[in-house]
Every structure is written in C-alpha cells, then in structure tokens.
Amino acid sequence: MTIHYDINRRWSDQFIPDIKRIVGSHLLEAAPDPLDMKQATDLLMLDARDMRIAARVRRPGYAERYPHQFTIRSRVPSGAETELSKIVNGKGDWMFYGHASARQDGVEKWFLLDLNAFRAALIRQGPQGLHWGNKRNPDGTVFTWFDVRSFPSDPPLVVACSP
C-alpha cells in the first residue's frame, strides 16, 4: 500500500460515524404494529440481505463547484483494480458520496446512490447516453465523474440526498 492510501484512508475514516448515521436512516424503518406488539420488533431492515455500501467523501469546496457530480476512481498508477472496475463488475449495492464540511468535522452535502441503477444505465444507455468525463490528478490517479441528472429516472440512481 502506498502512503497516499494510508493518509487518505485515515482522513476519510473520520467521517464513518456520519456516514453510518445517514445511511442507517435509509436502511431502517419502523415495524408495523403487529410485529411490535407480538414479536418485540420496533425496527426492520429494508432489505434483509447483506448490503455492500461504498463510501467516498470529498474534501471541502467541491460540493459548490460540482453539485450534481459524483466521482469514482477509474485508474491508479500501479494498475491495481479500481472502484469503477469493481462496481461495473457487479460489486457493491449502494454508494454514499458526500462532501466534507468546511471545518472537516462532518459531512454536509451527500448522495446515496443505487449501484444497480448505475450499472443498468451503463448497460441500457451506454456511456454516450450519460454526461461524464475523466479527471487526472497530479499523482497519476484518474477519476471518472458522472452527472446524476443525466441518469434515467427508472430505476432511480439517487436513493436519497441531503436537503
């Protein structure tokens, strides 16, 4: 592993409590009265199977410049498999995509994305039907950006977003 990975991982991991709070509120719902009264059940998972959730938090300043975009790492100098490749190949169910606050003490703006809807759009529309592009960083890493507004409404890409 590179030093960049370790530094970036430590920075992004500080937002895990916020991400858990936000995503958890979309995975749980109040149980119906019969379950509450007869089975000691107050909350239900929306989907009882494993949910694999990718999470990415951008540094401050990007939410204002790119309010409708999300980025996924698509190339690294080492040639290792990237997040985009893993997602396209069927890994992951949802993706939390957020922006750190100016003070970097929490997540402000965010999207919760359905990766099955993402894959469906790539299959049905192909990349030419979506608004997207690539951004190369000085370290040789490439991110592919996508505009959520260019995705079809069915199935919906955005499960939830910040107010």
Side-chain angles (χ1 to χ4, degrees):
M1 287 194 213
T2 67
I3 191 162
H4 294 289
Y5 172 84
D6 294 338
I7 291 168
N8 289 333
R9 177 69 190 253
R10 275 194 302 277
W11 181 83
S12 66
D13 279 357
Q14 72 180 318
F15 300 102
I16 293 289
D18 262 5
I19 295 169
K20 286 169 61 175
R21 178 183 51 77
I22 293 166
V23 173
S25 70
H26 296 283
L27 288 174
L28 295 171
E29 63 181 33
D33 290 342
L35 287 179
D36 183 38
M37 292 184 286
K38 297 184 190 271
Q39 296 184 23
T41 303
D42 296 298
L43 297 170
L44 292 172
M45 289 280 294
L46 292 177
D47 193 336
R49 66 177 183 81
D50 274 353
M51 288 284 293
R52 306 295 169 119
I53 302 167
R56 175 151 162 66
V57 178
R58 302 262 336 242
R59 286 185 165 70
Y62 290 99
E64 293 76 26
R65 290 171 35 204
Y66 309 105
H68 303 289
Q69 285 184 8
F70 65 99
T71 62
I72 303 174
R73 186 176 291 108
S74 55
R75 193 174 315 137
V76 292
S78 70
E81 187 176 18
T82 63
E83 286 80 1
L84 184 58
S85 173
K86 293 171 192 171
I87 290 168
V88 166
N89 288 325
K91 305 296 183 199
D93 298 300
W94 283 359
M95 178 181 188
F96 176 87
Y97 187 83
H99 295 271
S101 65
R103 292 181 22 205
Q104 300 188 49
D105 58 355
V107 175
E108 285 187 339
K109 298 182 175 139
W110 54 267
F111 294 111
L112 188 55
L113 306 172
D114 183 335
L115 294 177
N116 288 321
F118 175 79
R119 289 185 282 267
L122 290 179
I123 291 167
R124 291 183 182 132
Q125 291 193 234
Q128 64 277 8
L130 301 172
H131 188 207
W132 65 281
N134 289 312
K135 168 72 170 102
R136 180 178 294 277
N137 287 347
D139 67 359
T141 302
V142 176
F143 286 87
T144 300
W145 59 264
F146 298 90
D147 188 317
V148 297
R149 299 171 298 183
S150 69
F151 283 77
S153 59
D154 188 36
L157 173 68
V158 178
V159 173
C161 61
S162 55

